[in-house]
Amino acid sequence: MELRQLRYFVEVAEREHVSEAAVHLHIAQSAVSRQISKLEDELGILLFEKTGRNIQLTTIGKIFLFHAKTAIQAIEYAKYQIEEFLDPEHGTIKIGFPTSLSTHLLPTVISAFKDEQPNIGFHLRQGSYSSLKEAVKNREIGLAFLGPIPINDPDIEGHILFTENISALLPITHPLAERKSLRLSDLRNDPFVLFPKGYILHSIAIEACKAAGFAPNITSEGEDMDSIKGLVSAGIGVSLLPDSTFYEVTPRLTVKIPIDTPEVKRTVGIITPKNRELAPSEELFYQFAKKFFSVLEQYQ
């Protein structure tokens, strides 16, 4: 069994068409068909079956596809680690991040790191809370910034960089806009603007309102931070957002007000895989980020 055969197999399986796979691979269709046949002969099974002009995976083919992808990812990661060990100061770090950390935290720490390690590059990937955890587990990225840090995950190691408050964002015309702080229960009759269900900031807001004794009336949703802030600016409703998302400026026509009851916080940090070591350049960045935020905390 050859790596080339696995690559051809995955390409055909995902496109369900040999000729389309051949075009994408920049090789002759006959060469793809020949390698698939050799793979099936070696395994002693049929991986595909015809459906009209296309083909589709057999039941055993679907099982083999999962393991083929895992094998290819493992080999690619092994090659990447070898290159890293040969030249750790010229590597590329694959980092994941959520939208809530993209405006200040990520640019700040990467810029500071680049001052010390100018030859190390970055491949950045934005994603949801759950997708970033899976990407770290599946070797798609080396590490990820996340908030809050997951606990009790057997495959994830989490290091907390800091803890931040969640504040209320209100339209400037809101009756409570002049308050220095508020109880979350003060907003029980307001329409809420939140991230959709499945987003971690949605869950945090729901749990906070529950702790305050009410279920929020969610009238609008936004899938990114700018959308949420824009809807609040337009007077559509109120929202609950992490303090780091307001760095230096609060959106126009809104006010940010601290919540004193209940205390609403989230941890922010870096997650790494428990079942494998970081590549040298990843380890350099990981240790730098921990030191960077520990120094910041001393001055705050």
Side-chain angles (χ1 to χ4, degrees):
M1 189 180 303
E2 301 176 6
L3 179 59
R4 174 182 56 174
Q5 292 174 333
L6 295 180
R7 293 190 190 280
Y8 291 2
F9 163 71
V10 170
E11 196 66 40
V12 173
E14 291 184 338
R15 296 178 182 275
E16 296 186 336
H17 205 284
V18 176
S19 60
E20 289 183 10
V23 169
H24 184 75
L25 292 165
H26 304 293
I27 57 175
Q29 178 178 335
S30 58
V32 176
S33 298
R34 184 165 57 252
Q35 292 302 324
I36 295 295
S37 294
K38 285 184 178 181
L39 183 60
E40 289 180 324
D41 289 342
E42 181 178 348
L43 294 171
I45 57 172
L46 287 176
L47 296 169
F48 297 98
E49 56 189 3
K50 288 187 176 181
T51 55
R53 293 184 177 181
N54 291 0
I55 59 174
Q56 66 179 22
L57 288 166
T58 60
T59 300
I60 193 66
K62 293 177 182 178
I63 296 173
F64 187 71
L65 176 62
F66 171 80
H67 292 290
K69 284 184 173 181
T70 301
I72 291 172
Q73 285 179 341
I75 292 170
E76 290 294 338
Y77 187 75
K79 289 169 60 180
Y80 164 69
Q81 281 202 310
I82 290 170
E83 293 171 356
E84 286 278 308
F85 276 101
L86 292 174
D87 193 359
E89 295 188 358
H90 288 78
T92 298
I93 305 172
K94 296 181 179 180
I95 298 179
F97 65 97
T99 181
S100 64
L101 300 177
S102 63
T103 55
H104 176 64
L105 180 145
L106 192 70
T108 300
V109 68
I110 287 181
S111 177
F113 180 77
K114 291 286 284 183
D115 288 341
E116 290 192 8
Q117 300 289 345
N119 296 318
I120 294 181
F122 287 89
H123 177 87
L124 303 176
R125 172 173 171 177
Q126 184 173 333
S128 66
Y129 190 84
S130 58
S131 70
L132 291 175
K133 289 199 299 180
E134 290 304 308
V136 169
K137 293 178 185 180
N138 297 333
R139 296 189 175 94
E140 296 170 23
I141 55 178
L143 58 160
F145 287 101
L146 217 56
I149 290 296
I151 56 175
N152 300 324
D153 190 316
D155 300 316
I156 292 292
E157 186 76 44
H159 178 84
I160 297 174
L161 298 173
F162 61 90
T163 300
E164 66 175 338
N165 291 320
I166 306 290
S167 294
L169 185 66
L170 278 58
I172 201 167
T173 56
H174 195 282
L176 303 179
E178 299 296 325
R179 295 272 289 272
K180 298 298 183 183
S181 65
L182 52 78
R183 296 170 298 177
L184 187 52
S185 59
D186 293 336
L187 304 176
R188 66 169 59 246
N189 296 320
D190 282 273
F192 273 74
V193 179
L194 298 179
F195 283 88
K197 188 175 181 179
Y199 283 69
I200 191 64
L201 288 178
H202 176 98
S203 300
I204 290 174
I206 295 297
E207 289 302 315
C209 292
K210 185 185 296 185
F214 71 99
N217 175 26
I218 305 169
T219 59
S220 300
E221 296 179 337
E223 293 190 354
D224 60 69
M225 199 62 63
D226 288 340
S227 297
I228 298 288
K229 292 176 179 178
L231 291 169
V232 176
S233 296
I236 302 299
V238 302
S239 192
L240 302 179
L241 296 174
D243 281 358
S244 62
T245 65
F246 300 109
Y247 183 76
E248 291 184 342
V249 62
T250 301
R252 61 186 299 270
L253 302 179
T254 68
V255 291
K256 178 178 78 74
I257 303 179
I259 300 169
D260 53 30
T261 307
E263 189 176 58
V264 189
K265 294 179 177 289
R266 75 164 179 175
T267 56
V268 176
I270 297 180
I271 61 169
T272 57
K274 277 186 179 178
N275 57 359
R276 69 178 188 276
E277 294 183 359
L278 295 175
S281 60
E282 293 170 345
E283 184 65 30
L284 278 174
F285 180 79
Y286 179 57
Q287 296 301 331
F288 175 87
K290 291 197 294 184
K291 181 179 178 182
F292 181 81
F293 283 98
S294 67
V295 171
L296 280 185
E297 190 174 2
Q298 292 175 16
Y299 286 95
Q300 290 178 347

